[in-house]
Amino acid sequence: LDTVLNIAILKVNGEVPFKISHRISPEDPKIGQAFFTLGIDEGLVLYEEGNLNSAGRNGIGKVKVGGGISGAPLISEKGQILGMIADQPMEENGMTRVIYGSQIKNFVSNWQEQNDMKVELPQRNKLFYSDREDQIAKVSTCIFEIEEKSPTT
């Protein structure tokens, strides 16, 4: 768990019910780059598209999105993961932080070293030649709503 970046690695026990068909982009996104994102709010899949509004330093930028998609991937037109929406919209203009793929890769790499465990990230992008509807269908199988539960005493 990284509370600054708002990223966590979840361990799945048993069989994983899906196969990830998209990889993290080898390059950080640029201002104006088009993306789409999928999230879940109250059990409903939410779709949004837009362009990167602000490219920051150190692998963090900003986009304008609606609520309910914190933790959702930012996916390029070529089906690569550009980053992850880190928070709910916090500013009056609807802007929210995006953690770029390079930061996600660094987090995973550091976590693997600290925990002596391996996380397999996809190396091939199987969404490159897919149209948007097919990309959405494949990505939506990997989107989950996760709730934090308080420990019981």
Side-chain angles (χ1 to χ4, degrees), residues 70-82:
S70 176
L74 238 56
I75 301 170
S76 74
E77 293 173 326
K78 296 178 182 177
Q80 296 187 86
I81 298 172
L82 299 171

Side-chain angles (χ1 to χ4, degrees), residues 45-131:
V45 176
L46 304 175
Y47 169 85
E48 288 198 42
E49 58 184 37
N51 298 83
L52 189 68
N53 301 96
S54 169
R57 296 188 178 155
N58 302 321
I60 297 175
K62 290 187 179 183
V63 294
K64 187 172 185 176
V65 294
I69 55 175
S70 176
L74 238 56
I75 301 170
S76 74
E77 293 173 326
K78 296 178 182 177
Q80 296 187 86
I81 298 172
L82 299 171
M84 180 187 85
I85 297 172
D87 307 300
Q88 295 294 340
M90 301 297 261
E91 300 175 15
E92 287 182 20
N93 60 5
M95 299 289 274
T96 189
R97 284 186 320 147
V98 172
I99 307 303
Y100 295 160
S102 61
Q103 285 284 60
I104 296 169
K105 286 181 180 180
N106 289 339
F107 172 75
V108 169
S109 178
N110 292 337
W111 186 89
Q112 289 179 121
E113 288 177 18
Q114 293 170 359
N115 293 281
D116 196 32
M117 296 180 84
K118 183 158 177 59
V119 174
E120 292 186 34
L121 297 174
Q123 299 301 309
R124 296 185 58 216
N125 179 15
K126 297 178 183 169
L127 299 179
F128 187 82
Y129 295 106
S130 301
D131 63 19

